[in-house]
Amino acid sequence: MSTWHKIQGKQKTQVRRSGWKSKGEFVTRVEHDAKNDALLQMVRAESATLRSDIATFRGDMVERFGKVEGEITGVKGQIEGLKGEIQGVKGEVEGLKGSLNTTQWVVGTAISLLALLTQVPSIISAYRFPPAGSSFVPAVAPVPPTPGNPASSPGPGVGASQVALAAALGRAQAVRR
């Protein structure tokens, strides 16, 4: 009690705030330290368990990443192999293009030689058998009709092409004789 209360002879009343506990409800320091030590041991045990789980997880992840990297390397190798095959196919296609070009030239040359060979007999016969009596074949030109010479006129209704045709037939008959 305070001195003022002793002088006055009044009992000191203590105002209790809400949430206050009586002395019986309070935990002693020894009990408090024991509870803290128990909680500390539980936290340490949990953290050790977590550390081992994390280490195991890291090991698993490193192993999985290693497998994935190995598979990626394998896929890269396969892609490089495919690129090499594609280059080989491109080379074969270029070779086939050159081969086709050569084949086209050969076929064209063969056709032109065949055409030339089929015409050789007609060319030889034209120079070998000239018309009878001359070695030179003159060109036949149509004779224009003259008014004073009726013999030179081919006649009514006869054109220049018919005259040329008749001359050619006459030469052909002369060659046969």
Side-chain angles (χ1 to χ4, degrees), residues 20-78:
W20 277 52
K21 298 179 184 177
S22 64
K23 283 191 176 186
E25 294 177 17
F26 285 106
V27 178
T28 63
R29 184 171 204 91
V30 174
E31 291 173 336
H32 183 268
D33 288 344
K35 285 182 180 180
N36 275 345
D37 288 340
L39 286 174
L40 182 64
Q41 293 304 321
M42 284 177 46
V43 168
R44 285 182 179 163
E46 285 297 318
S47 67
T49 305
L50 284 175
R51 283 186 190 131
S52 67
D53 289 347
I54 289 172
T56 305
F57 178 74
R58 266 192 203 141
D60 290 344
M61 292 310 292
V62 166
E63 180 182 339
R64 288 179 184 171
F65 281 135
K67 287 180 181 178
V68 168
E69 286 176 356
E71 290 177 6
I72 289 173
T73 304
V75 169
K76 282 182 182 178
Q78 289 176 350

Side-chain angles (χ1 to χ4, degrees), residues 143-155 163:
V143 179
T146 56
N149 189 0
S152 67
S153 171
V163 171

Side-chain angles (χ1 to χ4, degrees), residues 11 13 17 39 44-45 93 95 159 163:
Q11 186 68 25
T13 57
R17 291 184 231 144
L39 286 174
R44 285 182 179 163
V93 166
V163 171

